[in-house]
Amino acid sequence: MKKEDFIKGMALLGVAYNKEFKEDEISVWYQMLGGYTEEEFSRAVQELIKTEEYLPSIAKITKTIAKTKVNLPDAEDEWQDVLRAVRQYGSWNEEGALNSLEPYTRKIVKYIGFNRICMATPEEQTWNKKEFIGEYNSLKDKVLEHTQLGVSETKLLNE
């Protein structure tokens, strides 16, 4: 983003939060946020002005931008996809079942164990579901953090 576009966004923040930014503050903020597009920055600033009572930090702005880039499905929906794969492929075709799942879902199913899910009693499946949802939501948070830091998605999938 061009510095003049960034300065407009900072001016908007300044007016909204009654804050006058010094030149060195603008330089630091631009160093941290200048790599985003003007649209991403502007959209995040406008959203935060509408929702935050106090001046957002650089981290809050990068997190807001990252949230627009990360669009992972709901954990409950992904669990239903896991159960669908179990019904469709059974324990005899683990590879086919895993390949039918989204990458993050596949990662968690491998962690829990596909055969464990396939062979579970109804009571055990309740615990599998709880574990899956917890792990999936934790992974979603990691994806958001990695996106915020600019770390590649491939690295997260291979951890």
Side-chain angles (χ1 to χ4, degrees):
M1 140 177 50
K2 296 178 188 166
K3 193 161 187 176
E4 52 269 14
D5 293 329
F6 177 76
I7 290 172
K8 289 177 189 174
M10 292 299 288
L12 187 58
L13 280 172
V15 170
Y17 293 102
N18 197 26
K19 162 85 170 143
E20 191 171 323
F21 291 96
K22 297 177 185 151
E23 189 62 38
D24 60 336
E25 289 175 308
I26 289 176
S27 293
V28 169
W29 282 58
Y30 185 67
Q31 183 180 359
M32 297 290 119
L33 299 167
Y36 293 105
T37 67
E38 190 270 329
E39 182 184 323
E40 290 170 330
F41 178 66
S42 177
R43 188 174 35 225
V45 165
Q46 290 174 26
E47 179 182 326
L48 290 167
I49 288 172
K50 292 175 185 176
T51 60
E52 297 295 314
E53 186 174 346
Y54 299 105
L55 177 68
S57 64
I58 292 169
K60 186 72 172 183
I61 293 170
T62 60
K63 190 172 194 171
T64 302
I65 292 169
K67 282 181 181 177
T68 65
K69 293 180 175 185
V70 173
N71 189 19
L72 291 177
D74 181 67
E76 287 277 346
D77 294 339
E78 290 304 290
W79 177 249
Q80 293 306 313
D81 285 350
V82 170
L83 295 179
R84 212 171 292 121
V86 166
R87 284 190 302 274
Q88 183 176 351
Y89 294 94
S91 61
W92 59 91
N93 190 356
E94 181 175 344
E95 185 179 344
L98 290 174
N99 288 336
S100 74
L101 300 171
E102 294 295 320
Y104 293 116
T105 303
R106 180 176 33 241
K107 178 180 175 77
I108 295 166
V109 168
K110 283 181 178 179
Y111 169 76
I112 294 171
F114 183 72
N115 282 326
R116 178 178 145 193
I117 294 170
C118 286
M119 303 302 180
T121 65
E123 184 178 279
E124 291 168 336
Q125 204 67 295
T126 299
W127 289 107
N128 286 340
K129 177 182 179 182
K130 184 176 181 172
E131 182 178 7
F132 175 87
I133 289 173
E135 291 294 329
Y136 189 86
N137 287 332
S138 176
L139 187 57
K140 256 179 130 168
D141 291 342
K142 282 184 184 176
V143 170
L144 182 61
E145 185 178 313
H146 276 64
T147 303
Q148 192 175 351
L149 295 172
V151 178
S152 86
E153 184 177 29
T154 307
K155 184 175 185 228
L156 184 61
L157 283 168
N158 293 327
E159 284 183 347

